[in-house]
């Protein structure tokens, strides 16, 4: 029995080393095209390794679309993009049935798959679509299948959605409801690049030659990596840190003095997301188990879209990142 346990551990170690090598190669390949967004790239890869979806928040022109396109190439996934607009209908993204007629005059319905049938889907400016269209996509994200005319159609595996939102222009938009925001494993802020990165962007993107990312993985390897993430051991101290952090982000006695600032907080899905994310980050770094530092580093992108402050807290100028930093200081 002991031998079999040791052999299983050896298999996990070897698998983890190989996966970490593959994912690092993917990260390096992405870095040849996307400059100055190391944290964004890392968190996006963590989200995909954890089997989740990400919401990218940033102003136009920060390479969000380019990131998704590059991820599709480096991870060997079928990537598609949908530009969300107010007149977009659910059938435009899910697909629809059409009536076919043969030469013999026989008629039958045939399903034409929509762009949602991709392994990596970019939902560009998701808050510009109507709630009806948003919910159609978000149901597909959660259920991993769609139903058209009573027939079930399974989505490809893996299936990941990277949705973007422009934080500036809110006129004519439909903000995602809280229950739908909760379906995103992380909310990732895409900020401006620093001066050196922008200098590199100037030279690398306006010349005659363009960097082309290499394919380093494929869908099968990615699915194996996602299974491995769920097998990585997590120490009791890390589990307790996750529980303490998530539970203290809710209104109530566990939040202490900060409880009066919080209107509503993250549910158990946040704990699940953080547990998967810290494992994925450890694997990305070539480690076999996550640490408390992983919990602290990933707390903000996992929690901030899953909580809200009271009106009085917002009137005082308090922000969610500020509250999360205070909650983290009790643990770290």
């Amino acid at each position: 029995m002991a031998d079999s346990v040791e052999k299983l551990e050896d298999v996990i170690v070897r698998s983890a080393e190989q996966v970490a090598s593959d994912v690092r190669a993917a990260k390096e390949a992405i870095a040849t095209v996307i400059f100055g967004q190391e944290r964004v790239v890392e968190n996006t890869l963590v989200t995909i390794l954890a089997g989740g979806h990400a919401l990218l928040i940033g102003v136009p022109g920060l390479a969000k679309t380019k990131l998704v396109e590059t991820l599709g190439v480096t991870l060997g996934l079928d990537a598609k993009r949908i530009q969300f607009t107010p007149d977009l209908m659910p059938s435009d993204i899910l697909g629809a049935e059409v009536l076919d007629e043969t030469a013999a005059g026989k008629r039958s319905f045939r399903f034409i798959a929509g762009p949602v049938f991709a392994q990596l889907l970019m939902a560009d400016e998701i808050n510009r679509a109507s709630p009806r269209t948003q919910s159609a996509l978000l149901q597909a994200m959660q259920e991993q299948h769609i139903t058209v005319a009573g027939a079930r159609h399974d989505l490809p595996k893996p299936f990941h959605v990277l949705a973007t939102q422009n934080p500036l222009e809110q006129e004519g938009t439909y903000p995602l409801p809280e229950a739908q925001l909760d379906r995103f494993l992380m909310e990732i802020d895409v900020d401006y690049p620093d001066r050196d990165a922008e200098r590199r962007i100037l030279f690398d993107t306006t010349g005659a030659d363009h960097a082309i990312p290499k394919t380093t993985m494929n869908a099968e390897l990615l699915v194996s990596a996602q299974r491995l993430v769920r097998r990585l051991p997590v120490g009791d101290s890390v589990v307790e840190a996750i529980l303490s952090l998530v539970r203290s982000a809710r209104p109530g006695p566990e939040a202490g003095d900060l409880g009066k600032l919080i209107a509503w907080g993250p549910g158990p899905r946040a704990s699940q997301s953080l547990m998967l994310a810290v494992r994925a980050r450890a694997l990305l770094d070539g480690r076999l188990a996550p640490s408390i530092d992983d919990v602290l580093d990933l707390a903000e992108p996992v929690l901030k879209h899953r909580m809200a402050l009271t009106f009085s807290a917002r009137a005082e100028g308090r922000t969610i990142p500020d509250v999360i930093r205070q909650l983290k200081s009790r643990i770290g």
Side-chain angles (χ1 to χ4, degrees):
M1 181 68 181
D3 289 343
S4 64
V5 170
E6 286 175 4
K7 287 175 184 174
L8 180 62
E9 288 176 352
D10 289 342
V11 168
I12 292 175
V13 169
R14 281 198 303 274
S15 300
E17 288 172 350
Q18 183 58 50
V19 167
S21 174
D22 291 339
V23 177
R24 275 199 300 273
K27 191 176 175 183
E28 288 166 9
I30 293 167
T32 63
V33 180
I34 307 293
F35 313 127
Q37 300 288 2
E38 288 83 5
R39 194 64 183 271
V40 173
V41 170
E42 181 177 305
N43 283 349
T44 306
L45 282 171
V46 165
T47 301
I48 291 174
L49 272 178
H53 312 284
L55 186 62
L56 302 171
I57 309 290
V59 300
L62 295 182
K64 298 187 294 295
T65 304
K66 189 71 173 175
L67 171 61
V68 179
E69 179 187 314
T70 307
L71 276 167
V73 174
T74 55
L75 299 179
L77 302 179
D78 173 30
K80 292 181 183 174
R81 174 176 176 267
I82 304 172
Q83 179 67 50
F84 278 63
T85 55
D87 59 346
L88 197 73
M89 298 296 289
S91 59
D92 294 330
I93 60 172
L94 302 182
E97 289 205 323
V98 296
L99 187 62
D100 273 349
E101 186 171 351
T102 64
K106 185 179 179 182
R107 294 180 177 181
S108 62
F109 283 101
R110 177 170 59 91
F111 177 68
I112 298 179
V116 76
F117 286 86
Q119 293 170 324
L120 186 65
L121 179 69
M122 180 174 194
D124 212 354
E125 295 196 283
I126 190 173
N127 55 333
R128 294 213 172 276
S130 68
R132 183 182 176 190
T133 304
Q134 287 176 6
S135 63
L137 173 64
L138 291 157
Q139 183 184 14
M141 287 165 52
Q142 185 68 20
E143 307 296 336
Q144 303 284 304
H145 70 263
I146 65 166
T147 304
V148 176
R152 171 174 167 152
H153 302 276
D154 290 324
L155 295 173
K157 293 188 185 303
F159 175 66
H160 300 283
V161 173
L162 299 181
T164 70
Q165 279 191 188
N166 176 355
L168 301 177
E169 194 179 345
Q170 298 302 319
E171 188 176 343
T173 62
Y174 303 87
L176 289 175
E178 289 75 15
Q180 294 182 351
L181 282 172
D182 193 35
R183 297 182 190 186
F184 289 97
L185 189 136
M186 278 197 214
E187 181 184 301
I188 302 169
D189 287 331
V190 185
D191 210 344
Y192 297 105
D194 60 29
R195 190 181 187 89
D196 290 339
E198 193 157 1
R199 180 190 299 276
R200 191 178 169 193
I201 290 168
L202 283 177
F203 284 104
D204 283 42
T205 60
T206 61
D209 298 323
H210 294 284
I212 299 173
K214 293 185 300 182
T215 300
T216 62
M217 294 181 70
N218 58 39
E220 190 178 338
L221 284 174
L222 180 58
V223 170
S224 298
Q226 290 171 344
R227 289 198 198 100
L228 183 62
V229 164
R230 291 176 174 267
R231 295 175 70 181
L232 289 187
V234 182
D236 288 342
S237 60
V238 175
V239 174
E240 290 304 317
I242 291 171
L243 285 171
S244 298
L245 190 60
V246 174
R247 293 181 66 83
S248 65
R250 301 166 184 163
E254 291 191 51
D257 295 340
L258 295 173
K260 62 181 182 295
L261 304 176
I262 303 169
W264 55 270
R269 191 179 285 155
S271 306
Q272 296 169 326
S273 298
L274 196 49
M275 186 79 149
L276 287 169
V278 296
R279 283 168 161 164
R281 188 171 190 261
L283 193 61
L284 184 63
D285 287 348
R287 292 178 280 117
L288 295 176
S291 67
I292 291 177
D293 286 341
D294 294 319
V295 177
L296 298 175
D297 286 345
L298 293 173
E300 189 175 317
V302 171
L303 295 181
K304 64 183 174 184
H305 60 294
R306 292 182 162 105
M307 55 191 296
L309 302 184
T310 62
F311 176 77
S312 58
R314 284 181 279 125
E316 291 171 11
R318 305 299 294 269
T319 64
I320 290 174
D322 172 45
V323 171
I324 292 174
R325 275 192 294 273
Q326 286 186 264
L327 294 172
K328 283 171 19 180
S329 67
R330 299 176 180 177
I331 296 171

